[in-house]
Amino acid sequence: MATQRNSETEQQAPRRAVETAKRFVSGHGESARAVVENLGRGGARIVLIGADGALGDVMVPDPATGESVVEQVEGLHSSEWDADTAAALTIGPGHRRRMAGPRAR
């Protein structure tokens, strides 16, 4: 019975995750790509790439939930880290400094 309950909760997308993804899509060109990355015990990360090249993310409990979020958001399309997806991403100097951490400052 616990297995059945877990599979039901995996398919339910958290309302907050869906709303966050909807705001991202509407704020960055009315369409976006989504790459769901499995983080193991940490859950899953939905990497969002807007039509304008903006980068965002949403954390969810597992990859199945991530896929469910993608399916529920109009204008959000499931993608993989291929050449087209990577080329759609625009990373500015400020974001590069944040990724590099304190050593870059």
Side-chain angles (χ1 to χ4, degrees):
M1 181 145 147
T3 319
Q4 182 181 10
R5 188 172 184 190
N6 286 340
S7 65
E8 288 174 13
T9 57
E10 287 177 2
Q11 299 307 318
Q12 299 233 342
R15 186 179 320 170
R16 187 172 183 181
V18 172
E19 290 302 318
T20 300
K22 283 181 181 179
R23 278 194 309 274
F24 182 87
V25 171
S26 68
H28 295 284
E30 299 299 324
S31 72
R33 298 172 190 238
V35 179
V36 178
E37 298 177 333
N38 186 358
L39 301 177
R41 291 186 201 166
R45 176 183 185 209
I46 307 169
V47 180
L48 304 169
I49 299 119
D52 62 356
L55 175 67
D57 65 352
V58 178
M59 299 299 293
V60 292
D62 54 67
T65 302
E67 295 297 338
S68 180
V69 169
V70 173
E71 290 172 7
Q72 291 184 34
V73 177
E74 187 175 339
L76 191 57
H77 308 285
S78 186
S79 189
E80 298 290 327
W81 281 119
D82 55 15
D84 291 335
T85 301
L89 183 60
T90 304
I91 299 175
H95 190 80
R96 290 182 192 279
R97 282 190 297 276
R98 281 194 309 270
M99 288 189 303
R103 292 186 177 174
R105 294 181 184 120

